[in-house]
């Protein structure tokens, strides 16, 4: 009996040690199970949402252009493309903004998840956003966050102060924003100025 108790105590000590490979593996497995459960829930919800989105009319190029701001966070628009994916029957727009000396740039793309093709095109992103993760190395950080009620993926490159944010707005619009010489907070500030609510 004493041997059994000693063995149990030894195992408990091993599991409680953070650097222990066994406890690390258990944590990884637990995280994977949690992410898989979230993905299954999201798939069930997504099926209903996709049916609704497929019935909707995607925005036209003209509607996208009307919404497009001339200036974002003090940066002027220097380029835009509307309907790049229209050959696949997906409504989209992208635009680039820069400060006066072009040392700072903000670029974003919006894909409308409405219509048959749009709903399918944005489904993968929704699945990715159902996960929870955080990673960091000497070059970059990458993690999921919740901001303004939306789940997002933030990526920041430390060596050149570049950032990327991906999110779904209103369960319909996929947004990918890149900030050159902009940290995560600055890129979020620029996204906030886009008035994404006006797209609906």
């Amino acid at each position: 009996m004493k041997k059994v108790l000693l063995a149990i105590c030894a195992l408990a000590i091993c599991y409680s040690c953070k650097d222990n490979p066994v406890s690390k593996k258990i944590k990884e497995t637990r995280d994977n199970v949690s992410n898989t459960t979230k993905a299954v829930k999201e798939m069930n919800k997504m099926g209903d949402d996709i049916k609704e989105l497929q019935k909707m009319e995607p925005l036209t190029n003209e509607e996208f252009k009307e919404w497009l701001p001339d200036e974002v966070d003090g940066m002027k628009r220097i380029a835009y493309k509307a309907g790049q994916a229209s050959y696949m029957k997906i409504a989209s727009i992208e635009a680039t903004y820069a400060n006066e000396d072009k040392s700072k740039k903000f670029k974003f793309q919006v894909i409308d998840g409405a219509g048959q093709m749009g709903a399918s095109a944005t489904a993968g992103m929704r699945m990715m956003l159902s996960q929870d993760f955080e990673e960091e190395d000497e070059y970059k950080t990458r993690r999921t966050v919740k901001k303004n009620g939306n789940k997002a993926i933030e990526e920041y490159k430390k060596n050149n102060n570049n950032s990327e944010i991906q999110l779904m707005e209103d369960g319909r619009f996929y947004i990918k924003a890149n900030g050159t010489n902009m940290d995560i907070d600055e890129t979020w500030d620029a996204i906030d100025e886009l008035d994404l609510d006006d797209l609906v």
Side-chain angles (χ1 to χ4, degrees), residues 45-56:
K45 183 180 181 299
M46 198 167 68
D48 297 332
D49 289 351
I50 283 175
K51 284 176 192 168
E52 288 304 308
L53 286 168
Q54 285 173 338
K55 295 174 195 168
M56 293 180 185

Side-chain angles (χ1 to χ4, degrees), residues 145-152 167-171 188:
V145 296
K146 198 150 193 186
K147 188 110 170 174
N148 305 326
N150 291 315
K151 195 92 174 279
L167 69 146
M168 289 293 298
E169 175 70 24
D170 196 42
W188 271 118

Side-chain angles (χ1 to χ4, degrees), residues 89 100 106 145 151 178:
K89 297 190 177 166
E100 218 168 295
F106 173 68
V145 296
K151 195 92 174 279
N178 295 87

Side-chain angles (χ1 to χ4, degrees), residues 117-171:
M117 297 305 291
S120 300
T122 54
M125 187 54 203
R126 286 184 57 152
M127 285 302 296
M128 199 190 303
L129 285 165
S130 71
Q131 312 295 301
D132 284 319
F133 61 82
E134 185 165 356
E135 55 191 67
E136 181 171 1
D137 59 30
E138 57 187 310
Y139 307 108
K140 68 176 182 182
T141 61
R142 191 167 179 262
R143 62 178 184 161
T144 48
V145 296
K146 198 150 193 186
K147 188 110 170 174
N148 305 326
N150 291 315
K151 195 92 174 279
I153 296 172
E154 295 178 344
E155 187 171 321
Y156 178 67
K157 291 182 178 151
K158 300 173 185 179
N159 58 341
N160 56 11
N161 193 29
N162 287 353
S163 55
E164 178 182 285
I165 295 170
Q166 299 178 72
L167 69 146
M168 289 293 298
E169 175 70 24
D170 196 42

Side-chain angles (χ1 to χ4, degrees), residues 1-72:
M1 186 68 182
K2 277 184 181 177
K3 284 181 182 176
V4 173
L5 284 171
L6 281 170
I8 290 168
C9 288
L11 278 171
I13 290 164
C14 285
Y15 285 135
S16 64
C17 179
K18 282 185 181 176
D19 295 328
N20 184 288
V22 176
S23 62
K24 275 185 181 175
K25 199 72 185 164
I26 289 169
K27 186 186 179 309
E28 279 174 26
T29 305
R30 194 171 56 234
D31 289 347
N32 287 339
V33 168
S34 172
N35 278 333
T36 304
T37 306
K38 284 177 186 171
V40 169
K41 281 182 186 170
E42 182 59 28
M43 275 177 76
N44 293 333
K45 183 180 181 299
M46 198 167 68
D48 297 332
D49 289 351
I50 283 175
K51 284 176 192 168
E52 288 304 308
L53 286 168
Q54 285 173 338
K55 295 174 195 168
M56 293 180 185
E57 275 296 315
L59 294 179
T60 65
N61 286 349
E62 287 308 311
E63 286 170 324
F64 261 135
K65 285 192 294 182
E66 271 177 42
W67 164 79
L68 202 62
D70 295 324
E71 196 173 297
V72 171

Side-chain angles (χ1 to χ4, degrees), residues 84-116:
Q84 286 295 98
S86 58
Y87 66 95
M88 293 188 290
K89 297 190 177 166
I90 298 169
S92 67
I93 195 160
E94 62 181 68
T96 305
Y97 297 77
N99 60 356
E100 218 168 295
D101 64 1
K102 308 280 196 304
S103 61
K104 189 183 285 192
K105 284 185 182 175
F106 173 68
K107 182 180 180 179
F108 72 88
Q109 176 188 34
V110 180
I111 295 174
D112 188 352
Q116 292 280 339

